[in-house]
Amino acid sequence: MSATSLIAASMGVEGLLLQVGNASSPETFATICNATDVNLPVVANTVDVTNVGDKWHRRAPTLLDMGKITFKVFWVMEEPTHRNSAGGGSVPAGLRYLLINQILRDWQFVYPDGNNSTDAFPAFVTSFSITGKVGGVFEASVELSNSGSPSLV
């Protein structure tokens, strides 16, 4: 008996959209340009519930958390989705602006499955770290911290 999904054997990453909302009503989402290396964890905090009669540790899950949501961008200094600018209209606030001003926004990952399958969550930008190497390009490592209930596929 095959253990391959009836939907697909795998799903390519090409076409994934990482988007941030503009906090308007109705909310519109802008795609973060040049994104790469995404990591969208879901974890549970645990507590040790081992008692004196146990020979092995017992742990119980408590609060759910999205952990450290991370991605990289090929950083372009004046790219509207990257820079330290409030944006406005159809131009989104940049990642650096959201970090510096500690602004909670709605985020979403739209998967390239043809069904618009989406993981959505509120989060703050909590880290933006730029690197550059001789012979390379500028990159920024970005961390988002979830703050509230997500909607997951």
Side-chain angles (χ1 to χ4, degrees):
M1 182 93 182
S2 174
T4 302
S5 168
L6 295 176
I7 298 171
S10 64
M11 179 62 60
V13 176
E14 181 181 2
L16 174 72
L17 300 176
L18 169 57
Q19 300 181 321
V20 61
N22 65 355
S24 294
S25 182
E27 187 160 43
T28 59
F29 286 84
T31 299
I32 302 296
C33 294
N34 305 345
T36 182
D37 297 343
V38 299
N39 183 20
L40 183 64
V42 178
V43 298
N45 291 343
T46 59
V47 293
D48 188 332
V49 294
T50 308
N51 64 62
V52 295
D54 292 328
K55 186 173 185 172
W56 292 87
H57 273 278
R58 291 179 187 259
R59 291 178 184 85
T62 59
L63 294 174
L64 297 174
D65 187 12
M66 292 187 66
K68 294 182 186 283
I69 303 156
T70 60
F71 61 96
K72 289 184 177 180
V73 294
F74 295 115
W75 186 55
V76 178
M77 297 81 188
E78 292 297 327
E79 162 54 44
T81 61
H82 298 180
R83 67 183 179 181
N84 181 17
S85 172
S90 63
V91 178
L95 293 168
R96 283 181 132 184
Y97 182 85
L98 295 173
L99 169 68
I100 291 166
N101 293 283
Q102 301 176 342
I103 299 172
L104 180 66
R105 286 291 165 89
D106 289 328
W107 294 80
Q108 60 185 25
F109 282 90
V110 181
Y111 296 100
D113 64 353
N115 295 320
N116 286 324
S117 297
T118 302
D119 284 338
F121 53 92
F124 291 96
V125 177
T126 50
S127 178
F128 188 93
S129 178
I130 299 166
T131 58
K133 296 178 188 174
V134 172
V137 298
F138 282 106
E139 294 181 9
S141 295
V142 182
E143 179 182 288
L144 305 178
S145 293
N146 172 244
S147 184
S149 243
S151 170
L152 304 174
V153 176

